């Protein structure tokens, strides 16, 4: 059992598991035909509690990657609305901080619709039921399968817009030695 735990903490194992988790079988990638579907951006949590509604330093790297993908979709299609979904457990909802950052990056506030009460992926999906029937779903590749399942259960048809992959290529002997970051990635997968 100890050997399995040590191997699971190596980058080679963690990246293999994450690669498997990032395969989103049965979830179609978005095509130009879905260009008129609204965009749904699922927030990815905070690295620490935010001090204010414009405390972008509280957001983790994954939020920035998701925001960049959603922003590009909106720039390419100036008619689409963006639903930013995520309340979280902190006093200031994740969607509020992410929405503010998107406005700072040139997305007009009238194109943003914030959903600030949900705390889980399933709550995201059911909170948006009635607001959208179809969505271009922006989230991390490892989260897509679970998110799509929740949205389908809520009656929302989705296509995938995966943000940046978390898989890292081999970088020498260190790829085979246990690391804390690999342990976190194994847990994520």
């Amino acid at each position: 059992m100890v050997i399995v735990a040590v191997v699971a903490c190596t980058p080679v194992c963690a990246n293999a598991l994450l690669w498997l988790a990032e395969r989103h079988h049965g979830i179609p990638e978005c095509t130009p035909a879905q260009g008129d579907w609204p965009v749904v951006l699922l927030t990815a949590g905070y690295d620490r509690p935010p001090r204010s509604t414009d405390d972008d330093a509280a957001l983790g790297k994954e939020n920035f990657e998701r925001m960049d993908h959603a922003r590009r979709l909106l720039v390419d299609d100036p008619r689409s609305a963006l639903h930013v979904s995520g309340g979280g457990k902190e006093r200031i909802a994740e969607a509020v901080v992410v929405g503010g950052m998107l406005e700072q990056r040139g997305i007009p506030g009238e194109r943003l619709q914030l959903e600030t009460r949900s705390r889980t992926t399933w709550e995201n999906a059911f909170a948006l039921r009635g607001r959208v029937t179809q969505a271009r779903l922006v989230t991390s590749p490892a989260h897509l399968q679970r998110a799509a399942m929740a949205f389908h259960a809520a009656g929302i048809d989705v296509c995938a817009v995966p943000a940046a992959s978390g898989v890292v290529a081999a970088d020498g002997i260190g790829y085979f030695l246990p690391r804390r970051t690999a342990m976190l990635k194994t847990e994520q997968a």
Side-chain angles (χ1 to χ4, degrees):
M1 192 62 159
V2 172
I3 293 173
V4 171
V6 170
V7 170
C9 291
T10 63
V12 68
C13 180
N15 283 295
L17 289 172
L18 190 58
W19 181 85
L20 287 171
E22 288 183 352
R23 304 306 102 192
H24 44 274
H25 303 288
I27 306 166
E29 296 266 341
C30 294
T31 66
Q34 285 114 356
D36 60 345
W37 289 16
V39 177
V40 170
L41 167 62
L42 301 180
T43 60
Y46 289 123
D47 281 351
R48 62 164 174 75
R51 296 184 185 104
S52 66
T53 58
D54 62 350
D55 186 4
D56 60 346
L59 297 171
K61 175 184 171 196
E62 201 166 307
N63 269 311
F64 288 95
E65 291 167 349
R66 293 178 188 189
M67 274 190 292
D68 288 341
H69 278 73
R71 191 183 73 68
R72 280 195 294 269
L73 288 172
L74 292 180
V75 167
D76 291 345
D77 181 10
R79 297 166 296 136
S80 287
L82 172 61
H83 297 264
V84 181
S85 184
K89 61 183 181 180
E90 302 299 337
R91 184 178 55 81
I92 300 169
E94 297 162 18
V96 171
V97 177
V98 170
M101 288 202 58
L102 285 163
E103 283 189 72
Q104 289 173 5
R105 293 176 178 204
I107 303 301
E110 59 271 8
R111 292 184 67 194
L112 301 174
Q113 296 184 27
L114 307 182
E115 182 285 303
T116 60
R117 295 182 182 262
S118 62
R119 296 177 65 161
T120 67
T121 302
W122 284 81
E123 288 178 8
N124 291 138
F126 283 88
L128 292 173
R129 183 168 63 176
R131 294 189 198 186
V132 297
T133 57
Q134 303 168 313
R136 291 179 281 171
L137 187 60
V138 180
T139 189
S140 66
H143 185 235
L144 265 170
Q145 194 74 39
R146 185 165 38 103
M149 197 177 346
F151 276 76
H152 283 277
I156 301 169
D157 194 20
V158 298
C159 63
V161 183
S165 170
V167 176
V168 177
D171 64 351
I173 191 70
Y175 205 67
F176 301 95
L177 300 174
R179 293 186 188 172
R180 184 182 74 75
T181 55
M183 180 180 67
L184 296 172
K185 195 177 283 186
T186 296
E187 185 179 324
Q188 179 187 6

